[in-house]
Amino acid sequence: MPKERQVPQILDAALVRAWCALSLDALGRAREEIDAINVYPVADGDTGTNLYLTLESAAQAVEAAFAGHEPELPSAAQAARAMAHGALIGARGNSGTILAQLLRGMAEVLAAEDARDTADDPVGPARAAGDARALRRALRRAAESAYEAVAHPVEGTVLTVATAAADGAAGAADDCRSVVRAAYRSARTALEATPRQLAVLGRAGVVDAGGRGLVAVLGALVEACTGERPAPALPGPSGAAGSSGPVGAPGPVGSAEQVEPVGSVESVESVEECEDGVGGPAYEVIYLLEATDPAVERLRARLDGLGDSLVVVGGDGLWNVHVHVDDAGAAVEAGVEAGRPYRIRITHFGAGDAHTARAGDARPVREPAQRAIVAVVPGEGLAGLYGEAGATTVLARPGEPPASGELVQAIRRAHAREVVLLPNDAELRHTAAAAAEQARTEGVRVALIPTRSAVQGIAALAVHEPGRRFDEDVVSMTSAAGATRYAELAVAERQSWTTAGICQAGDVLGLIDGDVAVIGATPGPDATDTLVETAVTVLDRMLAAGGEMVTLVLGDEVPDRVADRLERHVRDAHLAVDTVVYRGGRHAALLLVGVE
């Protein structure tokens, strides 16, 4: 069930947590648009994906901070430091590295605010005014620290947008809502001006991609503080509407996210298009580095002589180093001289591949398969079922959805030239899209079929034919998934409003296509009757529109007699409808239902 979000009234850990989650969602929606307008400093079409992956790491760190403080809550400073640290260790690309430093700058100010005494006025006007002033200082420090991290700052980029946000916040009234709204408005205005400041943007007719990502993050801050999503961001290429504006409910499964990378910047001078107009370096080198401040200063000077787009962020002994060079080995050696580099990632701009193999690894390379299926499954039983069908699986445990990195690793494990990705959860659509984009940069052809339930994935697997052409197979699997309605039985965790009325904690809920459609009674001594009654109501509603096949997936704690009674009901009440039953295993939902 989706969690209700309370709008924090003060600058606290809950606000930081909400901001982080909303930022990740905003970047997920805007990811493709930002990738498409990425022309500076290298037109490699990955800025949106890099920002998303950076924020995903930040969000995981924030959730870990909350889990580590239970049953207490972390302070705002602790949550902000976790967000900044997560972004630092997960920063991807030039844009993600700068975003990590922006978050670090904000965390520095919020950490200093921890010492401020709010006991006399914990939630009143004095606290609100103090929080607003702290937020203004945090935005200013974020912009300053980002400029300090970039070896050769260029206007018309994310740096300009960050400064404009701080300038806008400086003139706002003493309350957080006014501050974040002013910062967002100023950032949008600055973003609109970037094509007039940076020639490569003007020639391509786009705004700065990194700046566009920062505007999405600031829009999420507005939503976290006010509960209202701000006005849409600026149009992308060809006047396409910005992705961070109001978004309706996602549509049904109907088309796969197809396999070709975004290519709307073909007319730009590609890698050669840099500020000075000459050809750029061939490699992007990124690594984490444990080193002292003096050693990092020497490293900056060394790397600055080797290439461009140098960004070094971090502090307190841990740094994230990003640089574009022709001699990738020299950039890594410089890191070895400075301290201990690890998580080294080298990307060849021309080939578009990532070199992560260990030096001296002479093991023979296994020939990749032609096609594979990668699927997220919510239970060991389902993992076995999918595995028997030949799929590589990623297990999703309750409250622990897989990160995009896990999906990328699964795609690598599948070791195929072509991969069909089945997320089997509507909440994983952005995560899966980012993983697919990353895999494509490694030379894998990936089609993402936006399945929302494991039963839709089962339907897609049933029509999968490896011998068909890839596009034909993807279309067939997508059609099968889209023709499958899905439902789930769950137990309400607390009293809440639903689309079917008010439920009480412990009630059995029947969700059809993601919405609560049936509220069953709280189970008595024998919960079987309640489960069956609720499931029968769900089945009758789903089959009222017709159907040929019912799929039932039972959780571990559900007895076999529930399936027996449901099969008998379908046979007696709905003629010519077949039923198939599977065991979902541990971690699976009480009951999953699919109707084809």
Side-chain angles (χ1 to χ4, degrees), residues 33 37 184 187-195 207-208 212 215 231-237 239-245:
E33 174 200 326
I37 63 174
Y184 179 73
R188 286 187 62 204
T189 300
L191 179 64
E192 187 177 18
T194 55
V207 297
D208 179 66
R212 171 67 181 86
V215 167
L234 295 164
S243 299
S244 67

Side-chain angles (χ1 to χ4, degrees), residues 7 28 83 85 101 119 126 153 166 168 177-178 210 272 295 329 391 415-416 440-442 474 480 511 562 564:
V7 178
M83 186 176 179
H85 181 75
Q101 188 68 358
R177 297 183 178 193
S178 297
E272 289 79 21
H415 198 57
R440 290 171 190 144
T441 69
E442 300 178 11
V474 169
L511 291 84
V562 170
D564 295 338

Side-chain angles (χ1 to χ4, degrees), residues 259-275:
V259 298
E260 301 302 327
V262 175
S264 59
V265 296
E266 296 287 343
S267 62
V268 182
E269 288 90 336
S270 189
V271 176
E272 289 79 21
E273 185 61 73
C274 293
E275 181 69 1

Side-chain angles (χ1 to χ4, degrees), residues 320-535:
N320 191 304
V321 178
H322 170 280
V323 66
H324 294 172
V325 293
D326 281 320
D327 190 343
V332 175
E333 289 171 7
V336 173
E337 293 175 5
R340 187 179 79 87
Y342 60 103
R343 291 196 187 179
I344 301 168
R345 183 175 182 84
I346 301 172
T347 302
H348 191 295
F349 289 126
D353 60 338
H355 305 282
T356 56
R358 294 187 299 272
D361 190 348
R363 289 176 298 177
V365 178
R366 178 167 57 95
E367 183 68 19
Q370 182 59 35
R371 189 173 309 161
I373 308 295
V374 173
V376 180
V377 290
E380 289 91 339
L382 283 170
L385 175 65
Y386 274 72
E388 289 172 6
T392 299
T393 59
V394 178
L395 189 62
R397 295 175 176 82
E400 299 179 23
S404 59
E406 293 178 71
L407 300 187
V408 172
Q409 289 296 334
I411 292 172
R412 291 171 181 156
R413 287 201 313 274
H415 198 57
R417 297 182 180 90
E418 302 167 339
V419 170
V420 179
L421 181 57
L422 305 174
N424 291 340
D425 187 340
E427 297 298 319
L428 288 177
R429 62 190 186 279
H430 297 325
T431 301
E437 191 65 32
Q438 174 60 36
R440 290 171 190 144
T441 69
E442 300 178 11
V444 182
R445 193 181 186 197
V446 182
L448 169 59
I449 299 179
T451 49
R452 300 183 180 188
S453 170
V455 291
Q456 287 189 323
I458 291 172
L461 273 176
V463 300
H464 167 54
E465 290 186 16
R468 273 193 299 222
R469 289 178 57 248
F470 185 60
D471 290 342
E472 292 176 356
D473 198 28
V474 169
V475 169
S476 179
M477 294 176 71
T478 302
S479 298
T484 302
R485 298 190 69 195
Y486 63 95
E488 175 183 344
L489 260 62
V491 176
E493 297 177 357
R494 60 184 180 277
Q495 182 187 55
S496 61
W497 289 91
T498 75
T499 50
I502 300 176
C503 71
Q504 306 297 324
D507 285 350
V508 177
L509 305 180
L511 291 84
I512 299 178
D513 295 336
D515 293 322
V516 177
V518 179
I519 300 176
T522 301
D526 185 358
T528 301
D529 289 342
T530 302
L531 288 176
V532 171
E533 290 168 6
T534 308

Side-chain angles (χ1 to χ4, degrees), residues 536 539-541 543-544 547 569-578:
V536 163
L539 280 167
D540 288 345
R541 291 194 184 185
L543 288 168
H569 173 78
V570 172
R571 186 171 56 250
D572 294 343
H574 303 279
L575 299 179
V577 178
D578 295 325

